[in-house]
Amino acid sequence: MKTFCGRANPATGALDWVEESEEYDYHQEIARSCYADMLHDHDRNEKYYRGIRAAVSRVKARGERVIVLDIGTGTGLLSMMAVTAGADYCYAVEVFQPMADAALRIIAKNGFSDKIKIINKHSTDVTVGPDGDMQTRANVLITELFDTELIGEGALPSYEHAHLNLVQEGCEAVPHRARVYAQLVESEQLWSWARLQPVDVDGRRLLPPPTVGRCAGAHSVCDIQLSQVPPDRFTPLGPRCTMFSVDFSKPVSSAPQSHSSSFRAQSSGQAQVVLSWWDIDMDPGGTIVCSMAPSWTYPDPCSSPWRDHWMQSVYFLPVERKVEEGEELSLTVSHDDYSLWYSLLPVSQGPVSEGPPCRPCCVCQAHLVWTRPRFGELNDRQRTQSYVNALHRVVKAESVCLGVSDGSLLPVFAHMLGAKKVFSLESTGMCKQVIEQVLDANSMRGGVQVLQIRPDQLSSADLAGEQISVLLGEPYFSTGLLPWHSLFFWYCRTSLARLLAPDATVLPRSATLHVVAVEFRDLWRIRAPCGTCEGFDVGPMDEMVQKSLDFHESREAEPHPLWEYPCRALTQSKAVMTFDFLQCVPAQPISCMGSLPLTRRGRCHGVALWMEYQLNDDITVSMGLTKPISDEGVCEWSLHRKQGVFFFRSPWDGSGDEGASVSYTFTFEPSIGDIKMDFTVNSAN
């Protein structure tokens, strides 16, 4: 039996329905689950283990049998910890069938099958009684139901149900409680991800639409590795506040709630952003604490544990407002059963309405068209200036320009620079409306004709009989995941060849794929096998993940924002393929091969890949490295685009191997618009 999967086609920009094996979704879910990251998190594991031992001891001290309910057991690790600590029996609940199957094998391999029962259900479907999934209610509740936002995986409804139906009153809980922290800050970098800023173009200012400026924005959390946002990139306007706590040993409510914290502004500035994280106490006394705080809150930042399964959160206030040092403010966090949001008021104003403030919701459509990194890209002044400088050289009074990108401002820039006519192709109605809002806000409605037409369907009549003299692209397409998916611009250029003037300018004129072999500081953990974890053999999980990677993904790169994941270059960066946009897409595949000599010692985990665009003879825009690699191999990456990462199946330690290299082969397949690749590390010995 086959299944159909929607997949963006880089050659057409459209969503194709591709026939895959019926096991495709199963393997895709496992391959990208990053379970290894959690098992490599020694700080998390060790503190859970200490909390479990303490909870089991407290129940035994009361003379009771220890019956454990472990919700979201995953590999069964926490249940095995509980039995080892002395629990009499564990009910381990896991709704994801592949993990439940793996947990069964892991528990059997470690000799705990007689003490642990795997229940492959959602915890809210678990029954208790002689014929139920559990024979009796548990007196120890162990859970790992948390995400970056704490409650985003449905922790509150699960706890609420468990206390009503599955555990005894007064049960021990591990973790025992959680606390959510927040800090109000001003940050040009972070705020640039939420609002379109004015843009200077050749002495004129392009203003954002008022509807975008007033919009509360997207409601979803922005989860990032906040440790990679240095403290000099934001100004604290208030102290770090404890916003609320949840005691998991008592009945929990999933009803919407709000909690406020009042404080005096410690400096003047623009209140824009709330930084938020949480911690958990594994014991009632709060002596075993697992914290998600960013590294810069630690006395020694290097001592902070790294994790990707739990990061930190950035929330954008619905409205930016000026605050004065010493002003009394009230920061409010609201939540439903799955998400949080923040609001800010002067203390003097008091609550404006009964009940929690409304959750932010985009009404301008721009936050549905532009992702947060895309907002940052549009607000990048240096990048904008590079495009404006390049446009200056090609846009003339007689130019007829056509822009091909999603939600791009380049056609607007071309109009501002004096082009005779400007057209812009947009892939969706929302993109078209957002660009029209920009034009209306700047009294330019007639300056750019925005068309919602596929490039291959565009006709001379749509262009009023004009020939295109300048074809523009950033290129950016919302369907792109990997760097080379933007080669859709090349396909657009090819389908538009019939409408181009003989001497037409194409900007960018070419794209180049770059690679560098790297040693990751931490990101390698998401792909590294675990073997044993806290003394327990979790090999069956490693085997399951590798089988799923082999099914489809082990020979593919995956997208990651590398500015969040520090790495060190072990080779020089190298341009390996160039795509000439002045020519049409070739009919035959393009292949290349070569090698990257390892010039620095280290543990090579894989390669990073990105695109660079040659706008004209001397202006290049990089979607990857933003500065030359330092002598020590330090890399600085673009904040706006994800780079590709190809992980080696096993890292290669070249610390003592002079003359080693990484060999590569690349093949660009025009029929699918994708790049196939492979790498081999060659030892000099």
Side-chain angles (χ1 to χ4, degrees):
M1 184 176 175
K2 298 288 186 179
T3 186
F4 286 94
C5 300
R7 185 177 300 161
N9 186 332
T12 66
L15 183 69
D16 288 350
W17 290 98
V18 181
E19 189 177 64
E20 294 280 5
S21 161
E22 63 180 334
E23 296 183 313
Y24 175 79
D25 283 342
Y26 168 96
H27 289 293
Q28 181 93 341
E29 183 77 12
I30 295 170
R32 302 209 170 177
S33 62
C34 299
Y35 284 106
D37 171 39
M38 290 185 281
L39 296 182
H40 282 296
D41 187 349
H42 175 70
D43 179 74
R44 160 196 177 270
N45 300 338
E46 184 265 339
K47 286 172 178 172
Y48 259 103
Y49 210 166
R50 287 170 58 193
I52 289 168
R53 284 196 292 262
V56 170
S57 295
R58 289 194 297 273
V59 175
K60 283 188 170 294
R62 299 197 293 263
E64 301 175 22
R65 292 182 75 245
V66 180
I67 307 299
V68 173
L69 172 61
D70 175 9
I71 300 178
T73 194
T75 59
L77 175 67
L78 303 184
S79 288
M80 292 189 293
M81 288 178 176
V83 171
T84 303
D88 294 284
Y89 200 77
C90 290
Y91 296 101
V93 181
E94 175 56 52
V95 68
F96 185 39
Q97 183 178 341
M99 280 310 306
D101 294 341
L104 277 170
R105 296 195 297 274
I106 290 169
I107 286 165
K109 190 166 189 175
N110 287 275
F112 293 109
S113 296
D114 61 332
K115 291 277 191 175
I116 301 173
K117 178 183 179 181
I118 298 295
I119 303 172
N120 182 204
K121 289 183 176 181
H122 194 283
S123 65
T124 55
D125 295 325
V126 171
T127 57
V128 178
D131 299 320
D133 301 304
M134 300 171 60
Q135 293 296 297
T136 184
R137 288 183 177 230
N139 52 15
V140 176
L141 175 60
I142 300 173
T143 57
E144 208 283 51
L145 297 171
F146 313 116
D147 70 348
T148 292
E149 211 171 6
L150 181 67
I151 65 173
E153 290 187 2
L156 295 181
S158 296
Y159 272 114
E160 186 174 46
H161 177 270
H163 277 286
L164 287 172
N165 301 282
L166 306 178
V167 298
Q168 298 174 15
E169 183 178 355
C171 72
E172 299 287 344
V174 183
H176 181 81
R177 73 174 64 84
R179 284 177 296 268
V180 172
Y181 302 91
Q183 186 167 32
L184 179 69
V185 304
E186 174 182 6
S187 173
E188 181 180 358
Q189 175 186 326
L190 298 178
W191 189 243
S192 74
W193 298 348
R195 297 291 185 274
L196 184 64
Q197 308 296 333
V199 182
D200 291 322
V201 180
D202 199 32
R204 297 175 61 189
R205 173 156 283 204
L206 183 71
L207 299 175
T211 52
V212 178
R214 293 193 300 264
C215 181
H219 72 270
S220 58
V221 65
C222 177
D223 54 341
I224 64 171
Q225 292 285 357
L226 201 52
S227 296
Q228 299 309 311
V229 179
D232 62 6
R233 297 288 182 91
F234 59 87
T235 301
L237 301 180
R240 294 168 197 161
C241 303
T242 302
M243 299 304 300
F244 69 94
S245 64
V246 183
D247 186 336
F248 297 127
S249 69
K250 298 177 180 177
V252 171
S253 172
S254 62
Q257 296 182 36
S258 290
H259 310 270
S260 296
S261 179
S262 298
F263 57 88
R264 288 186 181 274
Q266 62 188 47
S267 60
S268 299
Q270 293 295 122
Q272 300 167 327
V273 175
V274 176
L275 312 181
S276 184
W277 58 88
W278 50 270
D279 64 21
I280 43 180
D281 291 338
M282 296 298 184
D283 65 320
T287 61
I288 309 169
V289 183
C290 187
S291 173
M292 284 356 100
S295 62
W296 36 258
T297 65
Y298 284 70
D300 175 13
C302 294
S303 67
S304 65
W306 182 87
R307 27 187 157 243
D308 204 43
H309 53 103
W310 295 332
M311 293 189 282
Q312 296 81 40
S313 302
V314 172
Y315 297 90
F316 304 98
L317 291 177
V319 178
E320 177 185 29
R321 70 179 300 273
K322 177 72 175 175
V323 300
E324 300 293 340
E325 182 177 356
E327 182 180 358
E328 290 192 60
L329 301 171
S330 177
L331 183 64
T332 298
V333 61
S334 304
H335 69 79
D336 51 22
D337 50 351
Y338 281 92
S339 60
L340 309 178
W341 60 95
Y342 283 83
S343 56
L344 180 71
L345 289 173
V347 167
S348 58
Q349 184 171 329
V352 296
S353 63
E354 296 295 326
C358 294
R359 179 163 58 181
C361 179
C362 175
V363 295
C364 71
Q365 300 194 72
H367 299 90
L368 306 178
V369 167
W370 295 326
T371 63
R372 288 175 178 126
R374 178 63 170 157
F375 268 101
E377 187 169 58
L378 294 171
N379 288 324
D380 186 328
R381 298 183 187 91
Q382 183 176 346
R383 176 183 177 277
T384 294
Q385 193 58 52
S386 294
Y387 278 99
V388 170
N389 290 344
L391 287 170
H392 251 304
R393 301 183 187 181
V394 300
V395 173
K396 311 298 180 186
E398 67 277 11
S399 295
V400 177
C401 303
L402 175 65
V404 182
S405 284
D406 287 350
S408 175
L409 299 179
L410 291 194
V412 183
F413 297 168
H415 169 69
M416 296 173 73
L417 293 174
K420 171 187 169 184
K421 285 190 178 181
V422 182
F423 300 89
S424 178
L425 293 191
E426 295 294 345
S427 61
T428 68
M430 280 197 298
C431 284
K432 180 175 182 288
Q433 290 178 42
V434 168
I435 297 303
E436 287 174 343
Q437 286 184 62
V438 173
L439 295 169
D440 287 343
N442 292 274
S443 302
M444 298 181 188
R445 170 62 82 140
V448 179
Q449 186 173 345
V450 188
L451 306 171
Q452 188 187 345
I453 302 176
R454 282 174 36 186
D456 58 337
Q457 296 176 336
L458 189 69
S459 69
S460 179
D462 296 315
L463 303 176
E466 299 277 6
Q467 282 191 309
I468 301 165
S469 57
V470 182
L471 180 64
L472 308 171
E474 296 193 38
Y476 172 84
F477 301 99
S478 58
T479 54
L481 297 175
L482 289 161
W484 43 93
H485 289 174
S486 59
L487 290 176
F488 175 49
F489 178 76
W490 202 9
Y491 290 84
C492 295
R493 177 260 181 269
T494 301
S495 63
L496 292 167
R498 57 198 162 76
L499 300 174
L500 298 180
D503 58 347
T505 297
V506 179
L507 188 155
R509 63 190 305 169
S510 65
T512 308
L513 177 66
H514 290 248
V515 300
V516 63
V518 297
E519 174 185 54
F520 284 109
R521 191 172 74 190
D522 298 297
L523 188 62
W524 60 270
R525 302 172 198 271
I526 69 171
R527 285 289 170 266
C530 295
T532 60
C533 179
E534 310 305 323
F536 301 98
D537 186 344
V538 294
M541 190 213 70
D542 293 335
E543 296 166 7
M544 178 186 71
V545 171
Q546 191 57 57
K547 180 181 177 182
S548 292
L549 286 169
D550 290 342
F551 177 80
H552 201 276
E553 300 207 356
S554 62
R555 297 294 89 193
E556 294 183 358
E558 53 189 71
H560 289 282
L562 291 184
W563 73 269
E564 294 186 57
Y565 303 104
C567 62
R568 191 169 66 91
L570 301 183
T571 68
Q572 298 301 315
S573 64
K574 185 175 182 180
V576 294
M577 297 189 87
T578 297
F579 310 94
D580 185 359
F581 296 159
L582 301 182
Q583 306 297 322
C584 292
V585 176
Q588 301 302 316
I590 305 172
S591 296
C592 72
M593 60 177 52
S595 64
L596 299 166
L598 286 155
T599 56
R600 299 178 185 88
R601 296 187 175 190
R603 192 168 176 79
C604 190
H605 296 110
V607 298
L609 308 98
W610 68 97
M611 300 291 277
E612 295 188 1
Y613 298 102
Q614 193 76 29
L615 303 187
N616 46 34
D617 289 339
D618 59 351
I619 300 178
T620 300
V621 177
S622 173
M623 302 296 113
L625 289 175
T626 58
K627 292 183 179 179
I629 297 168
S630 75
D631 292 341
E632 296 76 27
V634 175
C635 302
E636 292 193 27
W637 300 97
S638 167
L639 301 177
H640 313 312
R641 299 277 181 108
K642 291 183 179 180
Q643 292 72 44
V645 177
F646 185 103
F647 288 101
F648 296 158
R649 177 167 292 190
S650 299
W652 186 80
D653 192 343
S655 296
D657 196 348
E658 299 291 339
S661 63
V662 177
S663 296
Y664 58 80
T665 60
F666 288 94
T667 301
F668 171 67
E669 297 281 358
S671 61
I672 59 173
D674 210 355
I675 296 176
K676 301 300 181 184
M677 63 194 70
D678 202 4
F679 299 89
T680 305
V681 181
N682 304 304
S683 174
N685 299 325

